[in-house]
Amino acid sequence: MATRAERLEQIAGGGRADTYSLKLLTPLSLGPVDLMLRLDAAATENEGGAVVNIQRLGGFRRLSALAENSLLNDSYVLGSMEVFRRLNPSESIISVPLYVGALLEAADVRLELFEPSFEDQFYSLATYIGTDTALGPFFLGGGVDLDGNYSLFMHFGRTF
């Protein structure tokens, strides 16, 4: 009887998957509004047997017009520019911050796992309202892209 490790080796076929990623984030302040520039890139090399490592895009701040994790790929470059503003003043001792923002995203996506391979560009525009809670940030908004895809989202927690 084969051990678990031997069965996994047979299933994987001795293959290997390596993933490389790069993330850059730059916040800026322009008078009454804040700006966040972001670049996110990842590539996966699948070699040998049946090992497959897939990247996923979609959801808030990862092509907001698409459903969460709905765009499968093995390499992507995602750039975004986010403009947001705090709506209520922060001078009081007890203040729950309320933010409104807009997000413009562009991505170049490739999936070479199957033949023919898939390559496309995606553009997304989203607006949201957000607040900080004791358990983390909370966002409510919606996004739309050039192809008519749209999504409404409710996101709780960090996204970077």
Side-chain angles (χ1 to χ4, degrees):
M1 179 173 234
T3 66
R4 183 170 190 248
E6 290 170 339
R7 286 193 310 262
L8 288 174
E9 179 65 27
Q10 291 169 353
I11 292 169
R16 178 178 141 169
D18 296 315
T19 301
Y20 307 96
S21 63
L22 171 70
K23 295 181 188 293
L24 300 171
L25 179 70
T26 302
L28 303 167
S29 185
L30 301 172
V33 298
D34 292 307
L35 181 70
M36 195 172 327
L37 302 175
R38 187 168 59 104
L39 176 68
D40 186 358
T44 297
E45 294 178 3
N46 295 301
E47 298 175 4
V51 171
V52 176
N53 192 2
I54 298 290
Q55 308 290 328
R56 290 179 167 84
L57 288 175
F60 181 51
R61 291 184 175 149
R62 296 184 53 81
L63 290 177
S64 302
L66 303 177
E68 186 85 21
N69 296 324
S70 64
L71 183 58
L72 302 177
N73 61 83
D74 51 24
S75 67
Y76 69 88
V77 176
L78 171 66
S80 69
M81 180 176 71
E82 185 173 350
V83 178
F84 60 97
R85 179 178 182 172
R86 184 171 176 162
L87 295 178
N88 55 351
S90 62
E91 291 84 29
S92 61
I93 295 174
I94 298 176
S95 174
V96 176
L98 187 61
Y99 300 94
V100 65
L103 177 62
L104 178 63
E105 302 160 301
D108 182 49
V109 177
R110 292 188 179 102
L111 180 60
E112 297 175 351
L113 182 62
F114 307 107
E115 291 296 328
S117 62
F118 168 80
E119 181 176 344
D120 205 354
Q121 289 80 37
F122 294 85
Y123 303 93
S124 176
L125 175 65
T127 59
Y128 65 85
I129 187 164
T131 187
D132 288 331
T133 70
L135 299 174
F138 175 77
F139 301 95
L140 186 62
V144 65
D145 70 9
L146 297 177
D147 295 328
N149 296 312
Y150 65 91
S151 72
L152 300 175
F153 55 84
M154 180 175 67
H155 185 85
F156 185 75
R158 295 199 172 269
T159 56
F160 305 118

